[in-house]
């Protein structure tokens, strides 16, 4: 086993982002890795935490806190039970540390910011639901 890595997963709860999460857990995550679930919400959303963290994104939210519906609401998220179950399973079976990071703004820009700010070794994204021809 090599050095623990920081692996980001872009999450919008769409079927393709859930597939990307499954793929990452099955094929990429090793024991000791840090898994960062990255959410980018519209800059028009107005949760209470946005005022504090609009420029830098939220602090890293540990999985145990992220499972709490009140914590999710504080950041303007509605938790997805399937995603939480996948993350919990990855945490236990792969011995990976799982955290969430929430940004507000343009997803393209914020995902790039996330890679730079958190010094991610990789970032896994879904395909936006497009087939091979449309991609």
């Amino acid at each position: 086993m090599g050095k623990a890595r920081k692996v980001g997963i872009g999450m919008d709860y769409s079927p393709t982002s859930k597939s990307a999460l499954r793929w990452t857990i099955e094929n990429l995550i090793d024991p000791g890795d840090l898994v960062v679930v990255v959410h980018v919400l519209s800059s028009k959303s107005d949760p209470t935490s946005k005022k504090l963290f609009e420029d830098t994104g939220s602090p890293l939210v540990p999985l145990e806190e992220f499972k709490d519906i009140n914590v999710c609401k504080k950041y303007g998220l509605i938790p997805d039970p399937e995603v939480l179950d996948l993350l919990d399973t990855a945490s236990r079976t792969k011995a990976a540390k799982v955290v969430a990071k929430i940004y507000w703004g343009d997803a393209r820009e914020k995902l790039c910011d996330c890679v730079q700010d958190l010094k991610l070794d990789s970032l896994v994204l879904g395909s936006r639901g497009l087939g091979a021809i449309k991609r």
Side-chain angles (χ1 to χ4, degrees):
M1 181 175 90
K3 175 185 165 232
R5 299 166 300 163
K6 292 182 181 177
V7 178
I9 304 168
M11 180 56 59
D12 63 2
Y13 300 127
S14 68
T16 59
S17 68
K18 290 178 185 181
S19 291
L21 174 60
R22 276 189 219 87
W23 183 90
T24 302
I25 292 168
E26 293 169 5
N27 299 291
L28 193 59
I29 302 301
D30 289 329
D33 285 351
L34 175 67
V35 178
V36 182
V37 181
V38 182
H39 296 272
V40 181
L41 303 176
S42 167
S43 56
K44 295 176 183 172
S45 65
D46 196 30
T48 56
S49 297
K50 178 184 170 191
K51 292 172 183 61
L52 291 172
F53 305 117
E54 188 168 17
D55 294 333
T56 60
S58 71
L60 295 177
V61 181
L63 179 60
E64 289 305 315
E65 288 181 35
F66 191 65
K67 288 194 239 177
D68 182 343
I69 186 108
N70 293 320
V71 172
C72 285
K73 283 183 180 180
K74 182 170 112 175
Y75 292 108
L77 291 171
I78 299 170
D80 183 291
E82 180 184 4
V83 169
L84 291 175
D85 184 53
L86 287 167
L87 293 170
D88 190 50
T89 301
S91 175
R92 286 183 287 107
T93 62
K94 297 280 189 161
K97 181 177 178 183
V98 178
V99 296
K101 176 86 172 172
I102 299 95
Y103 289 94
W104 294 269
D106 180 72
R108 294 169 296 191
E109 292 175 15
K110 296 301 180 176
L111 288 169
C112 290
D113 291 349
C114 179
V115 171
Q116 187 173 17
D117 295 345
L118 299 177
K119 299 185 180 5
L120 296 177
D121 295 301
S122 59
L123 177 65
V124 181
L125 303 171
S127 66
R128 299 183 322 167
L130 301 178
I133 294 174
K134 285 188 178 181
R135 270 194 305 260

